[in-house]
Amino acid sequence: MKHMSGLTRGLLSTALVATMVGATAPTVAAAETRACAWTPAVLAMPAGALAGDVSATDGSGGYAGTISYGADSVQGARATLWKDGKLTDYGYLNVPGYQKWVEVLGVNKAGTVAGNAFRDTGPSSAVRSRNGGLERLPELPGASGSQATGINDRGDIVGAVDTGTDGTSYWNPVIWPADKPGTVVKLTGLPNSEGAATGIDQDGTVLVEVDKNFTTLPYLWKAGRARAVRVPAGATDVVTRGISNGRFIGQVTYRSGNGAPSVLWDRDGVPRAVSRAADVTGINRDGRIVGRTDDPDWREFGVWRSSALESTLSYAPDRGLEIAVASDDGTIAGRSWKIPGGRDEPTVWTCR
């Protein structure tokens, strides 16, 4: 598949993340353009940790991602959850043939983390947290790998399973249903083509990318039924980036090369350009979106209310930043670092 949104493209291996409320705030420049002056707080990391990053939120003060004790697979990156001032270290998949390296792409209010463990060679394996550690999720018969991309509060996890042969990948969109533990279900009702589930809403609606006729298009799936989603005129590919409360966001490529790169699909199903957005990465239940603006120096991030730019956050002379997620509690999160040469630090920004 050309791009698997949270999958092949999403294997970012962010050896990052950590969070425990009550740490010092860096002097990240936050410009209030309309609604918010964003106040940052660096979240505490364990002693000896060299890097951290927030890549997921439970929507109510909990954050998840990874912490790293080194820059290689030996030191690795460990799945971590921070909630109510407590740090929970889920570690890595402690199984022969796997690196001490994972990525986290989702967390729910119960504290269950979903993500991917990386092998020494070959495709990754989808994992979830359980009993203080990580476990592999089941795969379809004949599978060579899998990836988890999201989880809802019910505990349903979505992603894809690779059933390709002879060294060729073929991804199938799947759900690991919470009410049928130990099982994996291939999503039905979609075009007979390669695809991936890239996110799941609280009502069970699954966001899916399907690679059909060399074009990647979004679908919405629920309870065995799928429907195609309207795309902007001239669009050839849509990389989906998040779904929440009936809305979803994505990055769009056009035949002519002209058109809004970042798009919001509201509940009416109509795609709308996200003003001044070069790349969007997260959306919350209220339609607040975060991502990178069209700043030519790539040093400015935006916060949008629906498709309208609400405020921006920019690099300061002594500190950089990257915003990854928008939480339902109104916070936004990602990472920041000192300039020059500072370590990545998990950071949460609050609207003041």
Side-chain angles (χ1 to χ4, degrees), residues 232-292:
T236 58
D237 291 284
V238 177
V239 178
T240 54
R241 293 291 175 79
I243 184 170
S244 184
N245 200 16
R247 307 177 181 92
F248 72 93
I249 53 175
Q251 293 300 118
V252 180
T253 303
Y254 300 85
R255 293 184 185 89
S256 66
N258 298 319
S262 301
V263 175
L264 163 70
W265 283 260
D266 215 323
R267 293 178 182 139
D268 58 7
V270 177
R272 294 175 172 84
V274 181
S275 175
R276 281 202 58 213
D279 188 20
V280 289
T281 57
I283 184 170
N284 75 358
R285 68 185 176 193
D286 299 320
R288 174 170 276 168
I289 298 168
V290 294
R292 197 183 296 270

Side-chain angles (χ1 to χ4, degrees), residues 108-133:
N108 65 11
K109 285 185 172 61
T112 302
V113 166
N116 302 299
F118 298 98
R119 304 175 194 241
D120 293 333
T121 59
S124 63
S125 294
V127 297
R128 56 160 280 172
S129 60
R130 185 180 182 189
N131 296 329

